[in-house]
Structures are given as structure tokens and as C-alpha cells.
Amino acid sequence: MKSNLKNQTKQPIKYTSLFANVGIGEYYLSDLGFVCKVANELEPLRAKWLSEHHKSANVIVGDFTNPKIFKLIANAHIENKCEMIMASPVCRDYSTAGKRQIDSHRAFQFEYLLNFIKQVDSVNKYVIIENVPEFLTAKPAKLKGKTVGEYIKRALEKLGYQVTMGILDASQHSLTPQARRRTVILASKTEQPWPMPPKIEKPVTLRAAIGHLPSLKAGQRHKTLVYHRAPNWHPIHVDIMEQVPSGMAGCDVPGLKLLNTDGSPSRAKFKCAFKRRDWDKPCNTILQDSIGVTGFCNCHPGRKRPGGRYSDARALTILELLIVTGLPTNYPIPNWASDTMIRHALGEAFMPLLVANIVKCMPKK
């Protein structure tokens, strides 16, 4: 997959990656003429993974909002003459998939980011900010009626940036087989604003992406395909999902009882629980919890078997998650990384093919 991407620039563009999420979103940037020289991760293990991916980067470990860490990153950005910032501030306080806390201290990481952009203004020319869709229109009390998007746009414009904002779906604006919608803010110190990538003609379906892979049962692993191993599910949940057709939820099947593992009635609140993905659509958004049957539409689509039941009553394997994230099947995952760590990183990822399409639209200096 990487060989199909050609160098985008005459001279390498050096950049700093903040809230880097082990560098998944940036996977294709090196083929497009970009070099990560500075990066920041909060947790040491994530920083270790990031270091293995960005071997030429100064990876600084610690809380970006800590003044000492902040200064180290800013100084490194200036010393390396980095021209671009990529940043995906923590999104959980804005996401409707969790408990929204838009007035929490952590929700204001974007203010630290804006201060960082100001601190490195002497060398920086481009900014990419990514977050959940709700980030753009959220109105924390502190902003006194302004949305976060309006606040960021105004602050960047004061620094001389042209600003473009919008919500992009990775399956609509790249060949990523995952319908992941995200706020994207693009800023550039150029005569023309940085345009969003155009829509593609035909999104990639789940069938096209992973339909060729061997069928698995819950708890089964393939003998030769690395990371094609299905997490264990309780027999009660396997029995339920074997009765659910692709693209449907358990609550849509007449007479089907949705149960907990102890046999008691499930109290799952959302229709996305006990739900299979649809073969003929892009994969739904992958979250950190990509295993549980009561999670956000976590069940693999199945094929009808003799007797009327459906195959693959299980979660997606890590191999399948790599594919629907837009990564190659040989993506270099550290051999020391746990399955939980891998799934969390993939569940937080800025889709790398979308990032590639974004930078292909970068205006000239």
C-alpha cells in the first residue's frame, strides 16, 4: 500500500506530532515527503511504540499541559525548524459515546495547543487538528457562547493563518473502509486556504475489505495469518449472535432474548449492542472497546449456514481492525504490545489514508 503513494514535496517538511497515538495516523506521511522530528506521548509504553515508528524523532514523554514538558516540546520544534503541527487533543470529554464533560480541565487542551502554536510561530506554517465531530460545535461555559471551532478559528487567524474547518468521514474522503467522522481543522500561512480533500466516488465496503479472510469462531486463531485471532466470547453471547443476520441488532430479531453471561436479561441501553456489522457498507466507527458484544456494533458480519444460523459470531480480529483502519496487513506492531493496547490505539486513530489525502491538498508556501 505504501508504494502507491508518491513524494508530495520537493523538500521534506518537518513536523511535530502532539497527542500522537503511537503515530498510526502519520503512517503514510514519510512517503509523501514529511519527516516527524518531534513527538509527544503521555504514557511511556505508547512513547516506546512511537519511537519505533519515528526513529528520527525526539519523542518527549509526559503531560503536554505540564509547563516543563510544554517548553521541551516547543524548544525542540523551533530547534528542528518544524513547519507543521499535527494534533489530536483528547476527545473523550466531547464525545457522545462517553460521558461528556466539556467544561472539565482536560477538555481545554486546545487552549494549550493554541498557546503552543503561538510559541512556535517563528517557524511554523501548517496546522492539522483532529477531534470528534462534537468538538467543533461544543460551547463550554468558559467560552461565553462561542463554539470551540469559532474560538480556535479566531485565534489562528490572529496569528496569520488561513483556516478551514469541517467534519470529514474517512470512508467518504479516502479509501478507508471505516465510516469514521471527525472534526478536521486545517490552518496554513499561505495565500490560498488549505482545502479539504474531495469525496471519493465509491466507498470501500466491509465485504471488499475483509470478506476474503478466513471465517473464525469466537476464541479461534488462524494458523498462519498473524493477528487473525478472535477474542473469546461467552457461549451465551455466541448463541445469541449466531441468530442475528448481518447488519441487524439482536433486538430486531423477533423472540430473541438478549442475556447477560449469567443468564439474566441484558439491560444494554443502545440498539448498537448485540449488533452485527453490514457487509455492504464501510465498517462503523471502531472504538477502544472493540471486543464486547454489548459495545458499539462490535460483531463481525456473518454468512448464513445450513440450519439458519450465521457464522462468525465474534468481534473483529486485530488483523481485520488494521485493514478497516486503512493500514497494511504487515503494519509493524511491536511484539511486546498487548492486544488491549493495540485495540485502544486503533480505536483512537486518525485514519492514516485520510491524513494522506489531507496533506496531498496542502497549499504551496
Side-chain angles (χ1 to χ4, degrees), residues 14-198:
K14 295 179 284 187
Y15 69 95
T16 291
S17 178
L18 303 173
F19 316 99
N21 189 35
V22 308
I24 288 175
E26 306 146 40
Y27 182 68
Y28 298 112
L29 290 191
S30 60
D31 288 330
L32 296 171
F34 293 78
V35 179
C36 182
K37 298 299 292 183
V38 185
N40 170 237
E41 279 282 13
L42 175 63
E43 300 172 1
L45 273 183
R46 282 178 170 248
K48 182 180 178 183
W49 183 340
L50 182 64
S51 296
E52 292 184 16
H53 178 57
H54 291 314
K55 297 186 184 299
S56 63
N58 176 6
V59 179
I60 298 169
V61 186
D63 185 351
F64 177 68
T65 66
N66 180 305
K68 291 183 179 179
I69 299 298
F70 182 98
K71 186 175 181 179
L72 284 174
I73 302 169
N75 287 345
H77 182 97
I78 294 170
E79 289 168 5
N80 283 280
K81 298 181 180 179
C82 293
E83 295 181 276
M84 186 175 81
I85 297 165
M86 274 193 65
S88 296
V90 175
C91 65
R92 70 189 71 172
D93 295 309
Y94 293 95
S95 175
T96 55
K99 295 180 180 179
R100 297 194 77 198
Q101 296 179 311
I102 64 173
D103 291 298
S104 69
H105 173 74
R106 184 175 55 197
F108 281 83
Q109 286 183 342
F110 66 85
E111 286 198 319
Y112 291 88
L113 173 58
L114 290 172
N115 188 29
F116 180 85
I117 296 169
K118 186 176 181 179
Q119 292 294 317
V120 301
D121 187 58
S122 61
V123 296
N124 202 70
K125 293 181 176 64
Y126 303 100
V127 179
I128 302 175
I129 302 173
E130 179 260 357
N131 213 290
V132 293
E134 298 85 0
F135 179 77
L136 197 64
T137 55
K139 292 184 177 180
K142 186 178 177 180
L143 299 189
K144 298 180 180 179
K146 294 188 182 70
T147 66
V148 172
E150 291 168 341
Y151 184 86
I152 291 175
K153 185 174 187 291
R154 185 172 299 181
L156 290 174
E157 287 176 341
K158 286 182 179 179
L159 293 173
Y161 287 92
Q162 298 253 25
V163 183
T164 308
M165 304 188 305
I167 296 174
L168 300 183
D169 183 331
S171 68
Q172 298 288 333
H173 295 270
S174 70
L175 293 176
T176 306
Q178 184 181 153
R180 191 178 186 92
R181 297 175 68 249
R182 284 296 183 266
T183 286
V184 175
I185 300 173
L186 305 177
S188 61
K189 288 186 175 181
T190 52
E191 291 185 6
Q192 300 298 322
W194 191 343
M196 296 292 180

Side-chain angles (χ1 to χ4, degrees), residues 120-345:
V120 301
D121 187 58
S122 61
V123 296
N124 202 70
K125 293 181 176 64
Y126 303 100
V127 179
I128 302 175
I129 302 173
E130 179 260 357
N131 213 290
V132 293
E134 298 85 0
F135 179 77
L136 197 64
T137 55
K139 292 184 177 180
K142 186 178 177 180
L143 299 189
K144 298 180 180 179
K146 294 188 182 70
T147 66
V148 172
E150 291 168 341
Y151 184 86
I152 291 175
K153 185 174 187 291
R154 185 172 299 181
L156 290 174
E157 287 176 341
K158 286 182 179 179
L159 293 173
Y161 287 92
Q162 298 253 25
V163 183
T164 308
M165 304 188 305
I167 296 174
L168 300 183
D169 183 331
S171 68
Q172 298 288 333
H173 295 270
S174 70
L175 293 176
T176 306
Q178 184 181 153
R180 191 178 186 92
R181 297 175 68 249
R182 284 296 183 266
T183 286
V184 175
I185 300 173
L186 305 177
S188 61
K189 288 186 175 181
T190 52
E191 291 185 6
Q192 300 298 322
W194 191 343
M196 296 292 180
K199 283 190 174 184
I200 63 172
E201 293 183 6
K202 189 176 181 181
V204 181
T205 66
L206 204 49
R207 190 188 304 276
I210 65 171
H212 64 286
L213 293 176
S215 176
L216 294 176
K217 296 179 180 179
Q220 183 182 10
R221 74 167 56 206
H222 194 269
K223 292 181 180 179
T224 58
L225 291 177
V226 179
Y227 289 112
H228 196 40
R229 55 191 186 223
N232 280 310
W233 273 5
H234 194 280
I236 287 178
H237 288 163
V238 172
D239 178 67
I240 291 170
M241 296 312 299
E242 284 183 346
Q243 301 174 65
V244 179
S246 299
M248 292 180 63
C251 60
D252 296 325
V253 180
L256 183 60
K257 294 181 179 180
L258 306 183
L259 305 173
N260 297 316
T261 56
D262 62 1
S264 63
S266 171
R267 294 184 179 181
K269 298 179 181 179
F270 303 106
K271 191 175 180 178
C272 59
F274 294 96
K275 185 174 183 179
R276 282 191 185 257
R277 296 179 166 97
D278 192 324
W279 275 122
D280 298 316
K281 295 179 181 179
C283 185
N284 60 293
T285 300
I286 299 298
L287 301 180
Q288 284 188 341
D289 174 21
S290 58
I291 292 180
V293 70
T294 59
F296 189 72
C297 187
N298 279 346
C299 192
H300 189 286
R303 295 180 173 90
K304 197 170 185 178
R305 301 182 302 191
R309 291 197 167 221
Y310 293 83
S311 69
D312 295 275
R314 61 175 177 84
L316 294 189
T317 65
I318 288 174
L319 177 63
E320 291 165 334
L321 292 178
L322 288 175
I323 294 171
V324 300
T325 300
L327 292 166
T329 55
N330 63 348
Y331 173 77
I333 298 174
N335 57 16
W336 48 262
S338 68
D339 281 14
T340 298
M341 183 181 184
I342 297 166
R343 286 179 177 272
H344 279 197

